[in-house]
Amino acid sequence: MSQTPVQEKLDFKALVAMGVGGMIGGGIFSVLGLSIQQAGHAAPLAFIIGGAIALLTGLSYARLGLHFQSAGGSFTYLEKAFHSQRFAAIIGWFLLVGYVGTMALYSYTFGSYGSALLSGGAPNSAAHHLLMSVVLLSFLGINLWGVRASGQTESLIVFIKVVILAGFAVIGFIYLDPEKLVPFFDQGLGGILLGAALIFVAYEGFELIPNAINDMENPERDLGRSIITAILITTLVYVTVSVVAVGNLTPAQIQQYGEYALAVAAQPILGKAGFVLIALAALFSTASAINATLFGTARLSYVMARQKELPPAFTLKSRRNVPWVSLLIITLVTLVFVNVANLQIIAAFASSTFLLLFALVNAAAFKLRHQIGLFGLWPMLGLVGAAAAWVMLLVDLYHHQQETLWWLLIFYGVVAGVELLFSQRRIGASDKEN
């Protein structure tokens, strides 16, 4: 007599790997240079501040996830807290474009490191644009075919990424030049806070853990501690890597090679082999992150379309059960965005979007604090931290990079406007049917 196969569940290690893999996807390879440019020698402190905001937000996600036990994640939390389907839908659209921003960041980084590797460290604009377009189209093809990595493969990818970065950090401390670390506050407190806001996209990813709550071995035991552990591991890696980078690069090098500063930082330590190793790690990490994000975002848009929050075309699936329309549209939007925007715009857009989202999730956790059993101070601190970083980012863009700010506001305005128009049409169609 055959037995019904038991579905495998995610244990604590798998959940930590999911969170660390989601965060250390490609952000650190691209935003490290931006962080050092803004925060100067205090870039490690900027990563600590970003980690603290992520940690507080992680507590909110953990309690909300346990309470609602829903794969809907942020949408469910916001809808339940604020009792507004339209509000949750708008945030859902923002989350979708936020993931488009992260994919643009990953593909931009892939192009930066790939072109630098091919040209021996010299910038090559044509190769950069070609590579970041090719990697997006390649993973579009892979996802349309229905291929995806298994959980064990993803865990292996995470392990390799962390080992390479940790090894670089450990060896880098041996060759550290302490004189390059002082004065510590060379860019002032404002530079540190702005650096934390700008690099916050590097912490995006831990919010994926609660989405898998229905597949967890023991959610009550593992959800909260896996989120906290993943954020702490990621923060430790980011801080040590940034210390080594600051201690091995001159300001001129950071300015010149900001888009692939981490590979350049490895060169004084390990020579050309160090540059190649970090560049390959960046290619490996960003490619993996693009694949995972594209896969998840396409299915998120499919779910939203099933709930009538996106046009019905997004529900179309191929014979391989792949949401091909979602994949095509998301890839096309990302392809256009990454080829017309620069790294500053892409990073600002992605960080801004997730800071705003996390501020709202913390607000939801504070509003529901008695129901979910969370001490109110933690979500309030998370809300204040995320909101303050978001406002500071926008204010700095207004004073120093108004073009980037206009890009940001136009993008947000278009997204909100399209969603409102779509919802009005949906309501109108529903009224006619009734």
Side-chain angles (χ1 to χ4, degrees):
M1 182 177 178
S2 62
Q3 293 182 339
T4 303
V6 178
Q7 183 181 0
E8 291 187 8
K9 294 289 186 178
L10 298 170
D11 60 10
F12 172 71
K13 291 181 181 178
L15 294 172
V16 172
M18 179 189 297
V20 173
M23 286 181 279
I24 308 180
I28 182 63
F29 294 98
S30 55
V31 301
L32 177 64
L34 291 176
S35 174
I36 297 174
Q37 288 173 6
Q38 296 294 336
H41 300 150
L45 184 55
F47 279 104
I48 291 174
I49 293 172
I53 296 174
L55 202 59
L56 291 166
T57 307
L59 292 173
S60 295
Y61 268 97
R63 300 309 303 175
L64 287 166
L66 277 176
H67 183 76
F68 290 110
Q69 301 272 317
S70 170
S74 306
F75 314 110
T76 301
Y77 311 153
L78 294 172
E79 185 177 1
K80 297 295 184 182
F82 300 107
H83 306 290
S84 173
Q85 185 177 0
R86 172 169 288 186
F87 177 71
I90 292 175
I91 297 303
W93 279 59
F94 272 89
L95 184 56
L96 274 178
V97 298
Y99 284 129
V100 166
T102 59
M103 277 197 298
L105 181 66
Y106 299 151
S107 55
Y108 190 100
T109 305
F110 184 94
S112 295
Y113 279 86
S115 60
L117 196 58
L118 291 174
S119 60
N124 188 324
S125 179
H128 183 196
H129 282 274
L130 177 63
L131 285 171
M132 64 189 185
S133 299
V134 167
V135 72
L136 281 170
L137 294 174
S138 297
F139 282 110
L140 169 63
I142 290 172
N143 277 272
L144 286 173
W145 188 254
V147 178
R148 59 173 175 166
S150 68
Q152 289 182 340
T153 303
E154 287 301 317
S155 295
L156 178 62
I157 290 172
V158 171
F159 178 76
I160 292 172
K161 287 189 291 189
V162 172
V163 166
I164 290 175
L165 289 173
F168 162 73
V170 170
I171 297 173
F173 270 106
I174 300 173
Y175 294 89
L176 198 70
D177 182 0
E179 292 185 0
K180 291 182 178 178
L181 297 174
V182 292
F184 189 70
F185 295 102
D186 57 322
Q187 297 295 328
L189 181 60
I192 298 171
L193 296 177
L194 179 60
L198 193 57
I199 58 88
F200 193 75
V201 66
Y203 285 100
E204 180 277 320
F206 68 85
E207 80 283 356
L208 299 173
I209 297 178
N211 292 1
I213 192 165
N214 295 323
D215 297 312
M216 293 181 189
E217 190 175 84
N218 190 332
E220 287 76 15
R221 182 193 66 195
D222 295 336
L223 177 56
R225 67 190 189 115
S226 64
I227 291 176
I228 301 306
T229 302
I231 294 172
L232 289 175
I233 290 173
T234 301
T235 303
L236 179 62
V237 171
Y238 286 171
V239 171
T240 52
V241 166
S242 60
V243 169
V244 172
V246 172
N248 283 279
L249 291 176
T250 65
Q253 287 175 311
I254 295 167
Q255 188 67 34
Q256 183 177 357
Y257 305 110
E259 294 179 0
Y260 47 95
L262 195 55
V264 176
Q267 206 159 355
I269 304 167
L270 300 171
K272 186 66 176 178
F275 181 94
V276 172
L277 180 64
I278 294 297
L280 289 175
L283 296 178
F284 190 65
S285 296
T286 51
S288 170
I290 291 168
N291 186 40
T293 307
L294 180 58
F295 180 87
T297 306
R299 280 144 185 82
L300 171 62
S301 61
Y302 171 80
V303 171
M304 290 179 63
R306 288 289 301 270
Q307 296 176 350
K308 298 183 178 180
E309 302 298 349
L310 283 174
F314 281 83
T315 63
L316 296 178
K317 284 190 172 185
S318 68
R319 286 182 295 179
R320 296 177 180 272
N321 201 35
V322 173
W324 63 275
V325 173
S326 296
L327 284 169
L328 284 173
I329 293 176
I330 290 167
T331 303
L332 178 61
V333 173
T334 306
L335 199 59
V336 172
F337 185 35
V338 76
N339 277 284
V340 300
N342 58 37
L343 179 60
Q344 184 79 27
I345 292 173
I346 295 171
F349 175 77
S351 288
S352 170
T353 303
F354 281 100
L355 281 169
L356 180 59
L357 173 69
F358 290 163
L360 291 172
V361 169
N362 278 308
F366 181 78
K367 190 171 187 293
L368 300 173
R369 62 191 182 280
H370 299 301
Q371 293 174 241
I372 64 177
L374 181 63
F375 182 48
L377 178 63
W378 306 134
M380 179 54 67
L381 288 175
L383 167 61
V384 171
W390 183 66
V391 171
M392 176 168 287
L393 179 59
L394 297 186
V395 170
D396 183 80
L397 291 176
Y398 175 77
H399 287 295
H400 300 107
Q401 298 183 51
Q402 289 195 7
E403 181 183 354
T404 300
L405 179 61
W406 282 117
W407 267 91
L408 207 64
L409 296 178
I410 289 171
F411 217 101
Y412 285 161
V414 169
V415 171
V418 170
E419 197 287 327
L420 289 172
L421 286 173
F422 175 74
S423 62
Q424 288 293 339
R425 288 185 60 185
R426 185 189 67 223
I427 293 171
S430 177
D431 290 342
K432 287 181 180 179
E433 290 177 2
N434 295 330

